[in-house]
Amino acid sequence: MIVAEHVSKYYGSFPAVRDLDFQIGHGECVGFLGLNGAGKSTTLRMLAGVLEPTAGNIRIGALDALRDGKSIRAQVGYLPDRPPLYDDMTVEDYLAFAAALRGVASGDVGGRVGDVLQTCALQQVRALPIAALSHGYRQRVGIAQAIVHGPALLVLDEPTQGLDPVQIGEMRALLRRLRGRHTILLSTHILAEIEATCDRILLLHEGRIAAEGNEAELAKRFGAGGRLELEVRGLWATVEAALQSCGVRSAQRLGDVTGAAGREDSVIRVQVEADGDRREEIALALVGAGAGLLGMRRLTSGLEAAFARLQAESDAEARANPSLGA
């Protein structure tokens, strides 16, 4: 659905985005991830038709971003990092206004507004002025205005910014409802949000694509995904042998959670180091050996490892070139 070819965006002499090449398929949910200043918002603005690239080309379907900008914007729903809300309007009136701006036929506006009020769980605040809404509701209104015209492409820049844990959970549920209806591009600093929501990740660093793929692919590239902590019921000798049989590099016994050492009903905490993501193989090996796998959690995700690597590279570059941070 989306093809970006050698896309760059300069502000004066500053390269915000440099030579981006990527493709996004119809119906995908793709996360744009990176440190502050990586070029995420600039890239999303170009894909939404708000900015024109300085060089390169963006195609959405059969449309060209430079030649068919107006037609592209009609197919895009965009939520910027600061939602474009009018505080003195009610939620319902504002969404009707947004629908009219987006070219929805006057006879269809009421139906479209009713649909997005239900989709975004806004019925109970439909008659309230936007100024009276909590931050979480304001973000939902921002998404509602982005989808009121039924766009094929939904571009969301930091939709969970400033939300509390309950509101983040509600926003995650909303995004799940929208998946499949739209192609979704999502930028966020919350790694768990990317992990829970996105099919694929584009990792930006200093205006370029540093890596792309799903979390398991990034874990393999950046050397993460293989550090696990397990809770296993059984004899340590049985557990250790099972782990060695499935390619684990090392298994460190951290102690017994319950039971006495050397008993089959003991629950053992184990830290595992493996090459890549071996969770499935480890689970099968332990269960096959007669041990009881009670818990498994990754100590470092692929995204955390990628962020740590990029931050280390940025810090090293800043030390080598102090004038860059001046």
Side-chain angles (χ1 to χ4, degrees), residues 8-18 52 54-55:
S8 297
K9 179 64 180 179
Y10 282 77
Y11 295 105
S13 61
F14 175 72
V17 166
R18 295 178 286 177
E52 289 187 355
T54 305

Side-chain angles (χ1 to χ4, degrees), residues 154-224:
L154 185 56
V155 179
L156 307 176
D157 194 357
E158 300 284 354
T160 57
Q161 182 175 1
L163 301 184
D164 64 33
V166 172
Q167 292 168 335
I168 288 174
E170 293 170 346
M171 183 63 68
R172 186 180 296 173
L174 172 56
L175 293 177
R176 282 197 293 268
R177 292 196 294 273
L178 296 175
R179 287 185 65 172
R181 306 186 202 178
H182 313 268
T183 299
I184 300 177
L185 310 183
L186 169 69
S187 168
T188 179
H189 287 95
I190 302 175
L191 299 185
E193 211 57 43
I194 290 279
E195 293 169 346
T197 307
C198 297
D199 304 310
R200 192 158 56 91
I201 300 146
L202 294 177
L203 187 61
L204 272 63
H205 184 54
E206 296 181 349
R208 300 182 186 274
I209 294 179
E212 62 179 296
N214 57 38
E215 187 187 354
E217 291 166 341
L218 292 180
K220 183 176 181 180
R221 171 166 180 176
F222 289 96

Side-chain angles (χ1 to χ4, degrees), residues 241-256:
L243 293 173
Q244 290 174 350
S245 72
C246 59
V248 167
R249 275 205 314 270
S250 67
Q252 179 184 0
R253 184 176 183 171
L254 302 179
D256 295 335

Side-chain angles (χ1 to χ4, degrees), residues 79-309:
L79 174 67
D81 54 355
R82 295 181 181 179
L85 306 180
Y86 292 98
D87 283 353
D88 57 337
M89 299 181 76
T90 67
V91 170
E92 191 167 22
D93 287 346
Y94 170 72
L95 294 176
F97 171 67
L101 284 181
R102 288 295 200 170
V104 177
S106 58
D108 297 331
V109 167
R112 289 299 309 154
V113 169
D115 288 345
V116 298
L117 286 170
Q118 181 174 1
T119 297
C120 298
L122 292 168
Q123 298 99 322
Q124 66 183 26
V125 298
R126 63 192 303 162
L128 293 180
I130 291 173
L133 300 182
S134 68
H135 183 64
Y137 272 117
R138 292 172 69 90
Q139 289 294 93
R140 285 196 232 170
V141 173
I143 291 182
Q145 65 80 29
I147 65 174
V148 71
H149 57 301
L153 174 62
L154 185 56
V155 179
L156 307 176
D157 194 357
E158 300 284 354
T160 57
Q161 182 175 1
L163 301 184
D164 64 33
V166 172
Q167 292 168 335
I168 288 174
E170 293 170 346
M171 183 63 68
R172 186 180 296 173
L174 172 56
L175 293 177
R176 282 197 293 268
R177 292 196 294 273
L178 296 175
R179 287 185 65 172
R181 306 186 202 178
H182 313 268
T183 299
I184 300 177
L185 310 183
L186 169 69
S187 168
T188 179
H189 287 95
I190 302 175
L191 299 185
E193 211 57 43
I194 290 279
E195 293 169 346
T197 307
C198 297
D199 304 310
R200 192 158 56 91
I201 300 146
L202 294 177
L203 187 61
L204 272 63
H205 184 54
E206 296 181 349
R208 300 182 186 274
I209 294 179
E212 62 179 296
N214 57 38
E215 187 187 354
E217 291 166 341
L218 292 180
K220 183 176 181 180
R221 171 166 180 176
F222 289 96
R227 293 186 65 237
L228 305 169
E229 184 174 302
L230 314 177
E231 282 193 9
V232 186
R233 178 183 288 113
L235 294 171
W236 170 242
T238 302
V239 171
E240 187 176 31
L243 293 173
Q244 290 174 350
S245 72
C246 59
V248 167
R249 275 205 314 270
S250 67
Q252 179 184 0
R253 184 176 183 171
L254 302 179
D256 295 335
V257 178
T258 63
R263 288 181 49 171
E264 291 188 359
D265 61 350
S266 294
V267 176
I268 307 165
R269 287 176 57 235
V270 187
Q271 184 171 305
V272 166
E273 296 275 354
D275 293 322
D277 188 353
R278 297 291 187 100
R279 288 175 296 169
E280 186 173 358
E281 295 96 318
I282 288 170
L284 289 172
L286 288 170
V287 173
L293 179 58
L294 304 181
M296 178 188 295
R297 69 182 183 92
R298 285 183 293 186
L299 299 178
T300 306
S301 74
L303 302 186
E304 289 171 331
F307 254 100
R309 175 81 64 84

Side-chain angles (χ1 to χ4, degrees), residues 16-65:
V17 166
R18 295 178 286 177
D19 199 33
L20 297 186
D21 273 295
F22 58 85
Q23 296 186 23
I24 296 170
H26 178 75
E28 274 196 287
C29 182
V30 176
F32 286 74
L33 190 62
L35 304 172
N36 287 329
K40 302 185 300 298
S41 291
T42 297
T43 301
L44 292 186
R45 287 170 187 158
M46 288 191 290
L47 294 172
V50 176
L51 290 178
E52 289 187 355
T54 305
N57 188 44
I58 296 172
R59 296 197 310 276
I60 298 180
L63 301 176
D64 180 277

